[in-house]
Structure formats: structure tokens, C-alpha cells
Amino acid sequence: MHLPHQRGPLHDLPDTPEAYDAVLADVTEQALARLTPEGSLEHPDCVDDIGDTSLGVTSLLALAWQRSGDPRLPEAVRRSVRFHLRERVYRRDNPGYPNLRIRDSGLPYARYTLAPGAHPVGDWPSTVWALLQAVNVTEAAAGLLDDGLRHELLQVAHGYWRWLTEATFFNPQEAANQAIGCVVGGLMLARQLPQPDGESVRARAMSLYEQEIRAHRVRDRGALLPPEHGGAYDNNYGPISLSFLAQAHRVSGEEVFARDGDALARYLDARLTNGGFDNGGPRYSEQHSGFESVLGLRYFGHRIGSDLGRYRGDTRWGRHAVKTDGGVDGHFAWMLVWQIQDTTRWHRGPAVGTARHQLRAGTVSVAFDDRMTPSLVEAGGTYWLPAAVARQHGFGPVTDGFLLCRPMGEVRVRDVRAGGLTAKLVTKPVVGRDHVLRYVRSLYVTDGTLLWTTVAVERLDGTPYLLAGLPYAEDDGDRVRRTARGEVASAGPLRLTHPRAEGPEHFDARGELTQEQAAFALAADPRGYGNPDEGWRHLVDSTALEAGPVPDTPEDLHVFAVRYGSSDPLTVSATRDGSGLVIRTAAFTAVLGGDDAHGEPELTLSAL
């Protein structure tokens, strides 16, 4: 089975002016055929996320008119704007809405669902989206809207801003993409309002960004990130936040948005595999955005000099939001408008230099979590997740059911490149059940095609093994397919085990349950509201690759060696001489030396 949302790299979608004109031409024909006598451009199947959708299609028609001059469009734009003002602007409080600070304010807002009291918690983001659609239309109004109609829509947009920032609590869902989107709406609105209203809105937008978004950033993998639904990063919404930061920088010129976007982009680059697969998040684990991410990935990929467009988006939404029949939906339409207006080109090559939380070369990559334990390993077109044993998750030595991967002290990292090889040495102080402090030294070496992992630790009792990952997915053309195996070899005994018990807390890679489905099943709250990252941490055990020790190593050490990307026999020797622990394979020799004057472990690498 294929993963439903992990599809083609977003930079593979044509983004020439001609390609975008073709997209807008298709939207035009769909919209003109759909336009009702009342002026609605909503998809007939739309129920949720509906409050901004007709106006979103209107904004696409306005852009299409600017680029094509199609004489059919001005009247359609005017009729659809009047529909929104007449039918989709609400001023009475939605029954049950929990986040009001001022009751009966009379300020306009948009509804997530039109029926009173039906899922009212979605009204805050829907109003952000309606604000963004409105300011896009009013910016394009010249020659389309008469002064009176434009003024009315602009006043509603100003009312949306006041409802979002005065009548309700700001960012009630703790969702950075929504909050930054609101700030962008304020910045765009401020450019169109007369003074002093314009400057007041701009100042308020910047204050909200500093005090309500930046001040609440969450640290993960060395980066400060805008929190997404209560977590540091979500692989669906994180790239959308990046797009909002790009637009904020484009419209305001404020350097703070560039700095924060650069930081988020570098973080995303480090966690993203070479093949563009990613998973994990506090709202969704495997659901990837499509066109909503293009602006940010392209804009900041160019700024940081990395190929962020390798991100595997959901290309069913590669151009705009669609319903199940493939018909256009105006939801998030501003992102298509902005990406067409922006002329940044994709940066196609990997970033120069090393990143602490990533090892990447050729078709191989390792993304590391905050503890410098691999969170995702890619080699030979297969993606490996951390395995689980006895409720402990990660990659590392296991003895008596205890996984040695949680650091008890500072984690040291050394990066080396030599002879076409790229390597990272990670040294962790760890404590086992016996309370003895040991150092786990994990060496990762790649030639761009294969990945060698060698782990050395002071000798362990019992029959230890290396927990070496959970095979989860593999490339299948432009899609990602589930798998329960991978090309791998070990210098010691090797086995692939599966849980004996059933249930989502016992994850068997051979089953049909996806990682995200299991994570939501284990989360405390319902799917879409629970935290899948938190739910996944309740996993008891999983399919796991287990590698036994390398034979004939120094008596005081256990050494484990695994190669990903090939199942050919693997021979590894580990000996000690005056320079340190010497690891020899058919491809390289590595010397894990002592600590330098700063306590950093030394690593020497030579290709054979």
C-alpha cells in the first residue's frame, strides 16, 4: 500500500509563467461554469472550511484577469464579492464559540461551518483565511471593483482584523500557521488603509508577532520554532508557516521574518530526508501540504541555499485546494496568488557545509532528534524509523531489555569528510539500570549510496544487541510505499523481529496500520486533535532490526556494525592501537581517538 499523502517533490511541479497561466485558465473555466445566480463560487460539496472559499476563488479570478484580461471575469468578480458580503459575513456571535473576549461586538467574522453552533472552534482560522482572501481581492481591485464595493470589502477586512485581535483571544488553537497568517493579513491590510489606521494596524501586527508568536517559540534540535498546535513542528503545518513567514517578509521588509524563516528552513532541511520523506508532528504525522508550502520552501530554500523543494508534498493539492472530484476549492487560495506573484526560483542543490542534526550525501541521509538519536534513516530507497522495545524508542545498544540511547550529559558530535565519504561521530554518556556511566560512540559513514553504522560501548552484561531501526517505507517512483524490509547487512548476527502481541501499541510493519493511524489511536484526544507524536511515544514494541556484536573485538568493548542499502556480506574489524579504536571495512578505515583539549572526541577517516 502507498502512503496517501507522501507524493512527488514539490519542485517537480512546473512553475513557469506559462504553467501558472494554464492553472488560472482552468480555474477560470471551472468558476464560470459554477457561478450561481446569487454569485457563489463555492464547491457544491463544501461543508467544512467554507467561510473563505468563494472569496478565495474570486481572488484567483482577479489575478487571472490581471494576467489575461479575460472580459468575462470582471462581472464574475463583482457578483462573487457581493455574494460574500451579503451571505458569508457574520456579525452575531456563533452559539458555543468558546474563545470570545467581547460578547455581541458586532464585528464581522467568517464561519468554519455555516450552521450556527456547528464546530464553532474553527471560526478563528476561517476568519484569518477570509481576511487574507479579502485583502488579496482589494489589492487587485483596480478596474474590477468600483470604489464603493472595494471600500465595503476593505471595511469588512478591517472588521475581520478587529474581531481576530480584539473580540477573541489571539491564536486560541496554539497554531503558528494560523497566527502568522493573521499577522500577514494585518500587514497587507495596513498597506491599504488610510492613515492613521494603517500604521496602527501594522504596529499591532508587529507587536502580536513579537509578543504572541516569537515569545512562545519552542526549542527543538537546536532551533527556536513557532509552536504548531502545541508542538515544535508539524510536517504538514510547519512548511505552511514557512510560507506565511515568506509573505510577511515580502510585504513588510521586516528582517525579523527573514531571520525566523531562515531558522525554520534550516531546521526543516536538517530533518528532511534526501528523498523528501518526513514524518512526525503534534497535529499530523504523515499528512503533507501541497501548494500551501511552495512559497515558503522556494523562498527560503533560495535564501539558505538548499533544495527544500525535495519535500514530498501531496500533489493532489499541487496547484490549489480540490475536493474529491478534483474540482477547485478556494480554501487557502491566497497561497497560489502569492506564489504566482513571487518570482523566486527553486534552489536545486543541497546546502553547503554540515548540520549537527543531519548527515546527508547522495541518496543517503540520517536525521537526528534533539538527543542526537536517528529519527529517520534513508538508504537504498528505504526509510527506517526508530524501533521500540519495552516502551523505549530509538537506535542503540540493548542489554537486558534496556535501550542505551538517552544521554546523561552533553552529547558530542564530530563531522568529517574525506575521499568522497561523509561521516558523523556521536558520543553520548548514558546510564543503564546498573547506574554505571558508559559512553556510546556511534559512527555514521556514507559514500552517498550506502550507510555504515558502527556503535561501540563499554562491555555489557548478558546478550546485547543493537536496535537498528524499524523498516517502514520505500520509494516507489513518485510515491512512497509501505514496507517491512530493507536491504541491510550486519557484521554480527542479524534478525528482523515482529511484535507477538496485537494492537496499535504493538506496531507490526507487515500490517496495514500506518504510523500516523497507530499514533492517533494511542493519542489522548481524537484524530485531528490529539498529538500523534505524543501518542506514538506510548508504543510498547515494534518490528525491529536487531544486530548482534561484531566478533573478536577488544575485551572491554562491545561493537556493533550495520550497513544499510545492501544485503551483501559485511566484514568489519575493530581493534585498538595507540591512536584509538580502529574500525576497518572494505570501504574505509576510521579511528575513534581520544578527546581533544576541549573534550571533543577525535575522528580520523580514510577511504580505501
Side-chain angles (χ1 to χ4, degrees):
M1 60 178 285
H2 288 110
L3 297 179
H5 304 283
Q6 304 274 348
R7 295 175 183 253
L10 289 180
H11 64 201
D12 286 352
L13 293 169
D15 65 344
T16 62
E18 295 77 16
Y20 284 133
D21 285 337
V23 171
L24 292 174
D26 175 60
V27 169
T28 294
E29 297 306 320
Q30 289 192 54
L32 293 177
R34 178 187 300 169
L35 184 66
T36 67
E38 297 78 17
S40 173
L41 290 168
E42 292 164 356
H43 191 285
D45 293 339
C46 190
V47 176
D48 296 340
D49 268 323
I50 192 173
D52 70 302
T53 60
S54 180
L55 196 58
V57 178
T58 303
S59 72
L60 295 176
L61 296 183
L63 180 61
W65 182 80
Q66 285 182 327
R67 294 170 69 90
S68 71
D70 188 329
R72 300 174 297 170
L73 295 178
E75 179 58 25
V77 168
R78 296 179 195 121
R79 284 173 58 189
S80 58
V81 167
R82 292 189 187 102
F83 167 80
H84 181 83
L85 292 172
R86 185 179 65 249
E87 303 289 344
R88 294 297 178 257
V89 177
Y90 294 84
R91 294 181 182 271
R92 291 185 178 179
D93 295 350
N94 198 351
Y97 184 71
N99 301 313
L100 289 175
R101 300 175 63 195
I102 302 173
R103 293 189 58 79
D104 302 318
S105 68
L107 292 170
Y109 67 95
R111 285 187 177 175
Y112 176 80
T113 299
L114 301 181
H119 202 84
V121 293
D123 290 355
W124 201 88
S126 287
T127 303
V128 174
W129 311 154
L131 168 61
L132 292 167
Q133 312 285 25
V135 293
N136 270 345
V137 173
T138 53
E139 279 196 348
L144 286 174
L145 305 181
D146 60 49
D147 290 345
L149 192 56
R150 178 185 183 277
H151 178 74
E152 186 178 357
L153 182 58
L154 189 61
Q155 289 303 109
V156 167
H158 195 185
Y160 285 154
W161 170 257
R162 291 189 58 200
W163 187 86
L164 291 163
T165 60
E166 298 174 22
T168 72
F169 289 95
F170 184 78
N171 190 23
Q173 295 184 19
E174 296 183 353
N177 74 96
Q178 299 172 11
I180 304 172
C182 183
V183 167
V184 171
L187 294 171
M188 295 183 69
L189 175 67
R191 301 193 304 181
Q192 302 180 51
L193 291 175
Q195 300 306 328
D197 289 344
E199 182 53 39
S200 174
V201 170
R202 179 185 170 95
R204 177 67 170 148
M206 293 304 302
S207 174
L208 286 169
Y209 184 71
E210 288 286 351
Q211 298 176 19
E212 299 294 336
I213 300 173
R214 293 197 89 236
H216 297 279
R217 288 176 297 170
V218 177
R219 185 176 295 278
D220 185 46
R221 309 185 195 195
L224 282 172
L225 307 171
E228 189 55 65
H229 287 281
Y233 175 85
D234 185 283
N235 70 9
N236 179 39
Y237 292 115
I240 295 176
S241 286
L242 195 64
S243 288
F244 280 130
L245 287 170
Q247 181 67 2
H249 187 240
R250 290 181 68 237
V251 301
S252 73
E254 294 285 350
E255 191 62 24
V256 65
F257 298 119
R259 291 198 308 269
D260 290 354
D262 289 348
L264 178 55
R266 291 191 179 97
Y267 170 89
L268 191 156
D269 189 32
R271 68 174 289 147
L272 191 62
T273 57
N274 178 77
F277 173 77
D278 187 19
N279 81 304
R283 183 70 182 270
Y284 293 113
S285 281
E286 293 178 348
Q287 296 197 36
H288 276 46
S289 45
F291 76 102
E292 315 100 294
S293 301
V294 167
L295 175 65
L297 295 170
R298 195 174 64 191
Y299 190 85
F300 284 105
H302 182 80
R303 280 184 57 91
I304 70 170
S306 188
D307 54 340
L308 296 184
R310 69 188 190 275
Y311 177 92
R312 285 185 183 265
D314 191 337
T315 49
R316 292 171 299 182
W317 278 37
R319 297 306 194 181
H320 47 66
V322 297
K323 290 301 183 185
T324 53
D325 65 356
V328 63
D329 182 336
H331 187 49
F332 267 54
W334 65 85
M335 286 294 193
L336 178 57
V337 172
W338 299 341
Q339 69 169 274
I340 292 175
Q341 292 171 338
D342 179 56
T343 58
T344 304
R345 301 268 61 85
W346 286 111
H347 184 95
R348 299 277 177 173
V352 177
T354 60
R356 177 179 174 90
H357 293 91
Q358 184 195 61
L359 174 72
R360 181 184 175 201
T363 59
V364 171
S365 60
V366 183
F368 296 87
D369 64 16
D370 218 27
R371 304 179 304 183
M372 288 305 298
T373 296
S375 61
L376 196 52
V377 170
E378 172 194 22
T382 300
Y383 301 98
W384 302 75
L385 302 179
V389 57
R391 302 183 187 274
Q392 304 160 93
H393 302 190
F395 289 74
V398 177
T399 178
D400 191 27
F402 191 85
L403 173 60
L404 296 168
C405 75
R406 294 170 297 279
M408 184 65 70
E410 191 66 24
V411 179
R412 311 286 185 143
V413 178
R414 175 80 74 176
D415 288 282
V416 171
R417 290 178 177 172
L421 300 173
T422 304
K424 188 183 294 285
L425 175 63
V426 177
T427 303
K428 292 183 186 182
V430 299
V431 174
R433 286 201 175 99
D434 56 7
H435 291 223
V436 173
L437 181 69
R438 294 177 172 87
Y439 284 86
V440 175
R441 290 178 289 176
S442 302
L443 174 65
Y444 306 88
V445 180
T446 180
D447 61 359
T449 301
L450 304 172
L451 172 69
W452 291 264
T453 299
T454 306
V455 178
V457 63
E458 287 87 349
R459 184 158 288 270
L460 302 167
D461 294 332
T463 308
Y465 63 88
L466 179 71
L467 192 66
L470 154 66
Y472 179 67
E474 61 186 2
D475 291 334
D476 184 20
D478 282 344
R479 300 295 301 276
V480 178
R481 181 176 59 194
R482 285 288 305 281
T483 190
R485 59 176 297 278
E487 295 294 317
V488 66
S490 171
L494 184 67
R495 59 188 177 271
L496 185 66
T497 65
H498 303 284
R500 295 181 179 178
E502 296 182 355
E505 67 273 25
H506 307 282
F507 189 81
D508 192 327
R510 300 169 298 180
E512 294 188 358
L513 202 65
T514 67
Q515 185 271 344
E516 181 180 81
Q517 290 169 332
F520 272 123
L522 297 171
D525 296 306
R527 180 178 176 86
Y529 302 96
N531 183 334
D533 275 357
E534 183 179 286
W536 189 250
R537 284 193 284 270
H538 293 297
L539 196 68
V540 174
D541 55 4
S542 72
T543 293
L545 185 70
E546 301 175 356
V550 176
D552 301 323
T553 59
E555 291 184 357
D556 60 336
L557 293 178
H558 268 120
V559 179
F560 309 89
V562 174
R563 185 192 59 222
Y564 302 88
S566 170
S567 57
D568 292 341
L570 173 64
T571 300
V572 175
S573 69
T575 59
R576 185 181 280 118
D577 63 18
S579 58
L581 180 64
V582 182
I583 306 295
R584 290 186 176 88
T585 74
F588 64 87
T589 296
V591 180
L592 283 56
D595 296 344
D596 65 15
H598 302 286
E600 300 293 338
E602 295 182 334
L603 172 63
T604 303
L605 180 69
S606 58
L608 299 180

